[in-house]
Amino acid sequence: MSVLKLDKVSYKYNQNTPAVLEDISLEFENGHIYAIVGRSGAGKTTLLSILSSLAAPTTGHIYLNDEDVAKIDKYKFRSRYVGVIFQNFNLLPHLTALENVVLSMNISGKKFEEKEKTLAMALLEKVGLSGEEANRRVLQLSGGQQQRVAIARALSYDPDIILADEPTGNLDVETQQEIIGIFRMLAEEGKCVIIVTHSPDVAKTADFVYELKKSEEKIQAV
Amino acid sequence: MYIFKNAIKSITRNKLRNILLGIIVMVIAVSACVALSIRQAAAVAKEDAAENMTITAQISFDRSKAMEEMAAPEGEEPGQASQESEGSEGNVPDRGRFDFDILQGSSLTLEEYLRYAEAQQEGDSYYYSGAFSLDATGELLPYGTEEEESETEDQTDETGQDLFAGGMEGGRMEMPGDMPGGMGGKRFQVNQGDFSITGYSSYNAMVDMFGSDGGYTITDGEMFEEDSEEYACVISNELAMYNDLAVGDELVLCNPECEEETYTFTVCGIYENESASSQENNRFAINDPANNIYISYPAAAAIIAASEEAANTTTDSSGEETSAALKNTLAFTYTFVNEEHYETFAEKVYDLGLDEDYTVSSMDIEAFESSMTPLETLSKTALWFFVIVLIVGGIILVTLNIFNLRERKYEVGVLTAIGMKKAKVAVQFIFELFLVTFAAIIIGGGAGAAVSVPVTNSLLESQIEDAEQEQSQLNENFGFEHGGKGSGGEAAGGEIPGGRGGAVPGQGRGQDRFSGQSAASQYVSSVTTATNAVVILQLAGVGLLLTVISGLAALISIMRYEPLKILSSRT
C-alpha cells in the first residue's frame, strides 16, 4: 500500500505561465528509496515542495495513507508526517546542532517516551555526530556535519516519509557514501525515502528512479 | 513553552541587536519616567496641598452691584443708566442716588450667619469674631500716647475743626456735611476709641494669630476661656509694660460715646506679637496692634447687649436718630474640609434665604490655584514632552524592528518550513520584544526615578524664578517696593511636612500688590517623591504600548512571509 500518492498533480507558478509539473501521478511506499532525477528546470525541487506541502498543487491531489493532504493542516503535515532535508540544510545558525533537533521535536508537538534532549543526542550519534559536535553551533560545523544535523532534524519526530533535496550536492565522495548509507538504513527501518538528485551515483542506490522531463517529455520509471 | 525558551535563546545569542534595542527603549523609558513623574508629582502635590488646606469663606455684601442698581433708573440696565446720568448731570456726580442706609447697614446678623451654616456639610465648621472699640479711663493710656495728647484730643474733639492738624490718636473725627464731598448734608461721626476689642467665638478663630505661623505667643498667664462670659482679656506686652499691668490686674474701659458706661476687664494673659515690632508706627492708637485686646465672643456679646441697654438715643434736627451704644462689627468665617464642600455651600446657601446681593467668596482657593501655577505649567510641558518622546520613540522602534525582521526573515522561513505556525513565530518574536522592552523599561525607569526628583525640582525652580522675575518686573515698573516679603523674602517656600508638595496656600503673609497673591512663599517649590506606583504602572503601559506597536510590525511582516519564497530566494 502506498504511503504517499500523487494523483494527476499539476503546478503552475501563476496562471499565465506554463505548467512546471503536469498530470503527474506517482506512488511511494514505505521501506524504499526513491530518486527523482531530471535536468535543471524539470521541476524536481517544485515536486519536492509540493510533496512537503510547502506549495499546493494547482490541480490534482496528494494522498497520505489515502487521506487527502489538502485536508491536513500544512504545518502539522510538515512537522509530523514528512521530514524534509533541504539542499542548503536550512538550520538555525544561532542554535547548536542539538538545539536544532530538539526545536524540531518541540514544534511537532509529539509526546516522546524519553527526554527530547536524550533522543536528539541519540539521533545525532546515529547520523555520525559526536557529543561535542552536537553542542556546537551549526555554523561551526562542516557541510557534511550540517547535512547530518539536517537529517537528524528530519528524523526527530519519527516521520514515515523523508524528503531530501540534493542531499549530497556539496559533499565529498566519502561523506556522500556515508549519507547514502544513512538513507539506506532508514529505508530498511521502514521509512519511505524520496531523494531529489542530479547525481547518477545517488540515483543508482535508489530502489526506484523517477525522471522528470520538460514539457512534452513524460515522467518515466527507470 | 518551547516558544519562550527559544525566544530567550534568541535574545542571549543576538546580544548586539538586543542591546541596541534595549538602549533605545531605555532612553525612551528614562524620558517617559521623568515626564510622567513630573506629572504625578504635580498631581500628588496638588492633592496633598488641597488636603492640608482649610478653605475659609466669607459672605459679603456686593456693594458695587447694589450701587449699580441704585444708579440705574427703573427699567434700565445698571451700566447703561450710570453713563446716561453722568452725562445729564455734567461733571457733578449725583451722589444722592445712593442710599447709605442700605449700603452701610447691609451686614448680616449672627443669627443669619448661623442659619446659613446649615448649608455646610460634615467636617465643615465656622467661627466668628466681634470687634468694637473702647476708650481708656483713669490713669490707663493706650500704647503710643501721652497724657497731654489725650487732653488735647478732648479739646479738639469739642471744636471739631482741627481734626487733621493734631491729636487724632484715639479721638473723635467729625466730618461736617458742608465740607467738600460731604454726603448729602449728613453728618458722619467717626469714633475711633483707644482700644480695639475683639471677641472670638473659638480658639480656631485665633489660629492665624496664635498658630504656628501667627507670631503671637502668650508669655504670661493664659488664654481666656472661649465660651466664658467673664470679662477676661489678653493684652499685648507693650500695653502691659506701658501701664505696669500684670496678669490678674483689672482694666477699666469706657464707651467712647459715653464715658459713664464702663466695663471692667481682668487681664488673664499677656501676649507677645513678633510681627508688631516690625510694623510702622501708627498714627492712631487704635490701629497699633499693641492696643488690641482680645476677649471671648460671649463676653463681647454681653458687653454689646449691656451697651445697647444702657445707651441713650439722640435725635438731631433732621430727625436722624443716633445711638451711643457700642457697634459690634461681626466677622463670620466658614471653614470647609475641601473645595467640593465649599462649592456646594456657595450654591446651597441661597436656598436658605441669602439675598442675591451677597456673594460667597474664598481667597484660599485663588491662592491655592496660583500656588500651583509653576507646577502645573511644568506638568503641561512634561505631557507634551512625553507625547513627543512616545511618538519619536515609537517611530524609531518600529523602524528598527522592521530592519530586524528583514534580517530574521530566513529564521521565519526555516521555522515555518519545519512546521512552526506563523502565529507561534509571531508570538516568539513579540515575546522577545516584550522581554527586551521591559528589561530596558525597568532599568530606564529606575534611572528615571532616581533623576526625576532633582530634575523636577530644578525645572520647578526655574519656573518659579520666571514667575518671580515677572512679578518683580511688574512691581518695578509700577514703582512699588519689592524684595521684601512679597517677592522673594520668603523664597524658601517650605514643603508640606512629610509630604510631596509645597507651602500651604493662603497662609503666606507676603501679599503681592498684583492679583492679591503672595509670590515666593506660596508657590509649591519642591517635591520629595515623584515616581510612585502610578508612574510605574504608566511606564508598564508605555512598555506594553511600544511592544504592541513594534510587535504589530513584526506580526504583519511574518504573516506576509511564505517559507518557500524565503528559502528559494536564499538559495
Side-chain angles (χ1 to χ4, degrees), chain A residues 11 49 54-55 73-76 78-79 86-88 90-96 99 103-104 106-107 137 153 157, chain B residues 2 6 9-10 12-14 408 410-412 414-422 424 428 562-564 567 570-571:
Chain A
Y11 186 81
S49 297
L54 282 169
D73 177 74
K74 59 185 177 182
Y75 294 102
K76 190 178 179 184
R78 290 204 288 264
S79 65
F86 297 96
Q87 190 175 4
N88 292 314
N90 288 342
L91 298 168
L92 292 171
H94 65 277
L95 299 180
T96 64
E99 286 166 346
L103 177 65
S104 176
N106 289 328
I107 289 171
R137 290 204 196 173
R153 184 178 68 182
Y157 40 89
Chain B
Y2 76 90
N6 207 34
K9 274 179 202 160
S10 179
T12 53
R13 292 177 192 178
N14 293 291
R408 297 181 72 180
Y410 166 70
E411 194 181 335
V412 177
V414 172
L415 287 170
T416 48
I418 61 173
M420 191 166 173
K421 288 188 174 176
K422 283 180 181 176
K424 286 186 176 175
Q428 181 194 315
E562 281 303 326
L564 188 61
L567 299 178
R570 189 176 169 86
T571 309

Side-chain angles (χ1 to χ4, degrees), chain B residues 394-447:
Chain B
I395 291 169
I396 293 172
L397 272 183
V398 168
T399 312
L400 190 75
N401 240 325
I402 288 169
F403 279 110
N404 274 346
L405 276 164
R406 287 172 74 88
E407 219 175 82
R408 297 181 72 180
K409 205 172 171 182
Y410 166 70
E411 194 181 335
V412 177
V414 172
L415 287 170
T416 48
I418 61 173
M420 191 166 173
K421 288 188 174 176
K422 283 180 181 176
K424 286 186 176 175
V425 177
V427 168
Q428 181 194 315
F429 279 36
I430 289 170
F431 183 67
E432 284 177 34
L433 262 176
F434 183 83
L435 282 185
V436 175
T437 305
F438 269 81
I441 278 185
I442 288 168
I443 298 167

Side-chain angles (χ1 to χ4, degrees), chain B residues 385-571:
Chain B
F385 178 65
F386 173 70
V387 170
I388 291 166
V389 162
L390 215 59
I391 291 171
V392 174
I395 291 169
I396 293 172
L397 272 183
V398 168
T399 312
L400 190 75
N401 240 325
I402 288 169
F403 279 110
N404 274 346
L405 276 164
R406 287 172 74 88
E407 219 175 82
R408 297 181 72 180
K409 205 172 171 182
Y410 166 70
E411 194 181 335
V412 177
V414 172
L415 287 170
T416 48
I418 61 173
M420 191 166 173
K421 288 188 174 176
K422 283 180 181 176
K424 286 186 176 175
V425 177
V427 168
Q428 181 194 315
F429 279 36
I430 289 170
F431 183 67
E432 284 177 34
L433 262 176
F434 183 83
L435 282 185
V436 175
T437 305
F438 269 81
I441 278 185
I442 288 168
I443 298 167
V451 300
S452 63
V453 172
V455 168
T456 307
N457 284 338
S458 165
L459 292 172
L460 194 55
E461 199 179 321
S462 150
Q463 286 283 336
I464 291 171
E465 269 174 23
D466 287 350
E468 284 174 2
Q469 270 175 13
E470 198 177 317
Q471 194 65 48
S472 295
Q473 187 62 50
L474 202 57
N475 281 345
E476 206 173 305
N477 293 348
F478 274 80
F480 294 137
E481 282 183 15
H482 61 93
K485 285 180 181 175
S487 55
E490 296 179 2
E495 292 166 11
I496 292 173
R500 309 160 177 100
V504 179
Q507 292 185 2
R509 291 187 296 278
Q511 285 287 314
D512 202 282
R513 301 178 86 155
F514 286 98
S515 72
Q517 71 180 43
S518 66
S521 64
Q522 284 197 341
Y523 289 135
V524 171
S525 61
S526 68
V527 294
T528 52
T529 54
T531 310
N532 59 12
V534 177
V535 174
I536 291 165
L537 278 176
Q538 286 171 334
L539 264 183
V542 168
L544 204 65
L545 187 70
L546 290 177
T547 310
V548 168
I549 291 169
S550 45
L552 215 61
L555 197 72
I556 293 166
S557 303
I558 289 167
M559 288 303 176
R560 284 174 54 209
Y561 290 158
E562 281 303 326
L564 188 61
K565 280 185 186 168
I566 297 169
L567 299 178
S568 309
S569 62
R570 189 176 169 86
T571 309

